[in-house]
Amino acid sequence: TQDCNGDYWIRKPREKTNNMCNIPLLDIPRMIAEKYKNHPECIKRGVVLPVPSNQRMNSYLKEIADVCGIKKTLSTHIARHTFACIAIANKVSMESIAKMLGHSDLRTTKIYAKLMDKTVSEEMNILKRKFSVITISEAGTVTIPTAPIWMTQFEIADLFGVFSYNIRKAIHSIYKHKELDESETRKYVRQPDGISYETYSIEMIIAIAFRIYSRESVLFRQFIIAKMSTATKEIPITLFVSCGRVSNLWYS
């Protein structure tokens, strides 16, 4: 559903307790839901995602864990716990988490962390900004958040609709030929769990877009060029980006 402020929410009673869950719908989950809205199985069963069954879903998650070398047993229930932990780590209050998880007793939610007191909308907006990434909709609309952009290789690969290998190869080539400064375009983000992730700046993302070919990378290049071509009162600039040493092609 959509509220009076234009924000989307998931409002659904829990099957276990019938308590209503009120969950703000962030951009990426909304794009996933939009992707499958016309799927025959979703239309037939009146669901958001074409999941055959919870058991089959958990089986697929186990396969993903095996491929990625994840030792922990993945399941939809683990996803629920993961969401709660991420929300707490980003200062979302226990009251808000309880509402989103559909807990009738706050003591159940307090298992995850100490009590915090803020509103659902304010806290989820903070969480949304911290996890902001560039997105490209099915219609080809490019959305760039106002917050500083630092994306992982997996996020960039998902953005451009290619494999992570292609992104790693492009990044390696860019640094090898000293086209960008590593100290300015790459940084490590340490999470509360102690794991650090390599992230890359908007400058690197733009450079990668001109090195690979996919529907999404073309849309992103067109978006960047259109932005630069828009008439402004500022001094105009020209961007030259190499398309590869072999082809010797350049974009201006």
Side-chain angles (χ1 to χ4, degrees):
T1 61
Q2 189 174 18
D3 62 20
C4 58
N5 296 320
D7 295 324
Y8 288 88
W9 293 70
I10 297 174
R11 303 190 191 276
K12 182 184 184 298
R14 286 192 67 190
E15 293 183 10
K16 185 177 179 180
T17 62
N18 206 37
N19 292 330
M20 184 61 70
C21 299
N22 296 301
I23 309 167
L25 190 58
L26 302 184
D27 291 340
I28 294 177
R30 186 158 63 88
M31 289 173 63
I32 295 173
E34 186 72 18
K35 178 179 179 179
Y36 291 100
K37 71 175 184 180
N38 294 321
H39 191 283
E41 192 67 21
C42 292
I43 296 174
K44 178 182 177 182
R45 296 166 51 199
V47 295
V48 177
L49 298 174
V51 178
S53 67
N54 193 54
Q55 184 179 7
R56 181 68 64 83
M57 180 72 168
N58 288 335
S59 176
Y60 290 151
L61 288 173
K62 186 179 183 303
E63 289 183 26
I64 293 173
D66 291 339
V67 171
C68 297
I70 300 173
K71 303 302 180 184
K72 190 176 184 67
T73 302
L74 299 185
S75 67
T76 52
H77 191 66
I78 289 294
R80 177 180 169 85
H81 285 287
T82 301
F83 167 76
C85 292
I86 291 176
I88 290 170
N90 286 274
K91 311 303 181 185
V92 179
S93 73
M94 202 59 60
E95 292 95 335
S96 299
I97 296 172
K99 290 180 181 178
M100 289 185 281
L101 295 180
H103 289 162
S104 56
D105 191 340
L106 195 59
R107 287 176 297 182
T108 305
T109 317
K110 284 184 180 179
I111 295 172
Y112 296 104
K114 295 180 179 180
L115 179 64
M116 298 178 186
D117 185 21
K118 292 183 181 178
T119 64
V120 176
S121 295
E122 291 176 343
E123 293 163 334
M124 288 307 292
N125 281 335
I126 293 172
L127 181 61
K128 180 178 178 179
R129 286 196 299 271
K130 293 194 72 173
F131 283 86
S132 289
V133 295
I134 301 171
T135 58
I136 301 176
S137 70
E138 287 293 315
T141 302
V142 178
T143 303
I144 298 184
T146 55
I149 297 168
W150 290 90
M151 295 173 62
T152 65
Q153 290 184 18
F154 295 106
E155 289 171 336
I156 300 172
D158 185 60
L159 172 67
F160 293 141
V162 297
F163 292 110
S164 296
Y165 166 77
N166 302 109
I167 302 302
R168 287 196 300 272
K169 185 177 179 182
I171 291 172
H172 175 75
S173 177
I174 289 168
Y175 285 149
K176 180 181 178 181
H177 297 108
K178 302 186 184 302
E179 296 170 18
L180 290 176
D181 188 339
E182 278 191 63
S183 64
E184 295 180 353
T185 57
R186 176 166 63 182
K187 73 175 181 179
Y188 291 88
V189 177
R190 188 177 180 82
Q191 300 298 318
D193 58 9
I195 300 176
S196 295
Y197 298 92
E198 274 188 8
T199 59
Y200 299 89
S201 69
I202 181 67
E203 189 177 3
M204 173 60 81
I205 297 168
I206 293 173
I208 292 172
F210 282 88
R211 281 182 170 267
I212 60 177
Y213 180 80
S214 67
R215 170 185 174 273
E216 290 80 4
S217 66
V218 171
L219 289 170
F220 186 73
R221 293 200 297 259
Q222 292 172 345
F223 173 83
I224 293 299
I225 293 172
K227 282 290 184 182
M228 295 180 62
S229 303
T230 303
T232 64
K233 295 181 180 180
E234 299 176 359
I235 299 174
I237 59 172
T238 302
L239 173 69
F240 293 94
V241 182
S242 172
C243 189
R245 300 181 66 188
V246 178
S247 59
N248 198 30
L249 294 177
W250 294 74
Y251 287 90
S252 171

